[in-house]
């Protein structure tokens, strides 16, 4: 039976400029994170991330209908490792935003992809982006550096861990994409992540995970944070140079801070705003002036 094209967000988006698709993706992810934070009181970070990963897997299974059989054992092992990283990255981020503002957490997490972008480079210009990012870390560090800072150190640690896992996610995603067609590898990884997160999610959320209203909100998180942005980004990358895509994605920390203010009433001090600006500039510069970038 032929699939209805209107059921695929990527197909519906083909008339939209690719830059707009990326910006919609960035906004979607951060609004999804804000909704997720609103669920923490009911099901905890563990229950919320279980909603996100499991329902994303279900949505993408129905949307793409991938063939999950016929691969070698080591290929499934690669997808499983990707699922471990994916689950850990999202759980770490949710544990971070449970303790520190969304904009700050995303800024610290963004150091992961920034590190991948400049790793191994000996160019002076890339050194400048590292200095900018390092200055942002110092401004956000809860170590009384350059004055007091009331950020929860555990939240900062979880955000940095999410960044390390995001860097691993980037490196693994290229390998998974080369082994599995389309989104097959991602779907397998999401299923593995769901299994890993089940005990954590049930421990945090308990019977509240079965509440229809919370399930609906969890579906919203899954759609906004995973299914919709991933589809939009795939479509944008068909038309947009990787370098430009990277620059647009570097707006995530600033968008996260804005969404945190508008949706969660999170006010940031001047140091946090300056730190977010520095990391955003570093990420944009590293993408814009990437050596060999297309």
């Amino acid at each position: 039976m032929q699939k209805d094209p209107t059921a695929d967000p990527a197909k519906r988006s083909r008339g939209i400029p690719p830059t707009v698709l990326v910006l919609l993706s960035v906004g979607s992810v951060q609004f999804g994170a804000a909704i997720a934070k609103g669920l923490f009181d009911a099901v905890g970070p563990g229950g919320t991330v279980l909603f996100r990963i499991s329902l994303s897997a279900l949505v993408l299974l129905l949307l793409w209908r991938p063939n999950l059989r016929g691969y070698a054992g080591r290929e499934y092992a690669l997808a499983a490792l990707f699922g471990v990283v994916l689950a850990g990255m999202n759980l770490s981020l949710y544990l971070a935003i449970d303790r520190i503002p969304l904009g700050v957490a995303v800024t610290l997490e963004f150091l992961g992809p920034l590190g991948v972008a400049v790793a191994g480079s000996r160019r002076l210009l890339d050194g400048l982006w590292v200095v900018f990012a390092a200055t942002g870390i110092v401004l956000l560090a809860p170590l009384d550096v350059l004055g007091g800072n009331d950020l929860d150190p555990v939240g900062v640690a979880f955000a940095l861990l999410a960044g390390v896992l995001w860097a691993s996610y980037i490196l693994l995603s290229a390998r998974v994409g080369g082994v599995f067609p389309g989104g097959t590898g991602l779907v397998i990884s999401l299923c593995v992540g769901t299994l890993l997160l089940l005990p954590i999610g049930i421990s945090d959320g308990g019977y509240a995970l079965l509440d229809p209203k919370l399930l609906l909100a969890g579906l919203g998180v899954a759609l906004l944070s995973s299914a919709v942005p991933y589809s939009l980004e795939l479509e944008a990358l068909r038309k947009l140079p990787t370098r430009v895509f990277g620059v647009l994605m570097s707006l995530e920390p600033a968008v996260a801070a804005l969404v945190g203010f508008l949706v969660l009433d999170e006010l940031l001090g001047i140091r946090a705003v300056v730190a977010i600006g520095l990391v955003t500039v570093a990420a944009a510069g590293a993408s814009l002036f990437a050596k060999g970038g297309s």
Side-chain angles (χ1 to χ4, degrees):
M1 185 173 69
Q2 189 175 11
K3 284 194 276 187
D4 180 4
T6 61
D8 188 339
K11 290 181 179 178
R12 292 203 306 268
S13 65
R14 283 180 181 164
I16 303 174
T19 51
V20 175
L21 293 179
V22 179
L23 294 175
L24 287 173
S25 170
V26 169
S28 179
V29 169
Q30 300 312 325
F31 273 105
I35 294 173
K37 189 165 184 174
L39 289 173
F40 289 174
D41 286 342
V43 295
T48 305
V49 77
L50 177 61
F51 274 154
R52 172 175 174 173
I53 298 298
S54 62
L55 294 176
S56 293
L58 180 60
V59 167
L60 294 180
L61 270 171
L62 295 174
L63 192 64
W64 291 337
R65 301 179 193 174
N67 180 11
L68 305 181
R69 294 178 293 180
Y71 298 95
R74 85 180 155 185
E75 292 171 337
Y76 285 119
L78 177 63
L81 177 60
F82 191 42
V84 172
V85 169
L86 190 63
M89 177 180 71
N90 285 285
L91 179 59
S92 298
L93 178 62
Y94 283 6
L95 289 171
I97 65 176
D98 190 35
R99 294 168 170 82
I100 60 178
L102 176 62
V104 173
V106 172
T107 299
L108 291 169
E109 184 196 27
F110 216 81
L111 296 174
L114 176 59
V116 172
V118 302
S121 174
R122 296 183 179 178
R123 294 191 307 162
L124 183 61
L125 187 58
D126 285 331
L128 177 63
W129 311 134
V130 173
V131 170
F132 278 13
T135 304
I137 294 174
V138 170
L139 288 172
L140 292 174
L143 302 172
D144 290 331
V145 179
L146 302 178
N149 195 327
D150 59 358
L151 291 177
D152 183 332
V154 176
V156 170
F158 275 126
L160 292 173
L161 175 59
V164 172
L165 291 169
W166 194 357
S168 303
Y169 169 89
I170 292 168
L171 298 174
L172 282 171
S173 64
R175 294 182 59 190
V176 171
V179 170
F180 297 93
T184 302
L186 177 63
V187 171
I188 295 172
S189 301
L190 287 168
C191 291
V192 171
T194 297
L195 293 175
L196 290 173
L197 291 167
L198 269 174
I200 299 171
I202 292 172
S203 174
D204 250 12
Y207 288 110
L209 293 171
L210 303 177
D211 186 306
K213 291 181 181 178
L214 295 176
L215 272 169
L216 185 61
L219 178 60
V221 170
L223 290 172
L224 288 171
S225 299
S226 298
V228 169
Y230 190 78
S231 299
L232 292 176
E233 287 166 17
L234 281 179
E235 180 63 21
L237 280 168
R238 292 191 179 101
K239 307 173 184 177
L240 205 61
T242 306
R243 181 172 53 188
V244 177
F245 178 82
V247 172
L248 292 170
M249 290 298 291
S250 69
L251 295 172
E252 281 209 24
V255 173
L258 179 61
V259 170
F261 171 70
L262 293 175
V263 179
L264 302 172
D265 293 324
E266 293 178 342
L267 296 175
L268 300 178
I270 186 64
R271 283 178 57 184
V273 172
V274 171
I276 289 170
L278 286 169
V279 173
T280 298
V281 169
S287 299
L288 185 60
F289 298 102
K291 192 173 181 179
S294 58

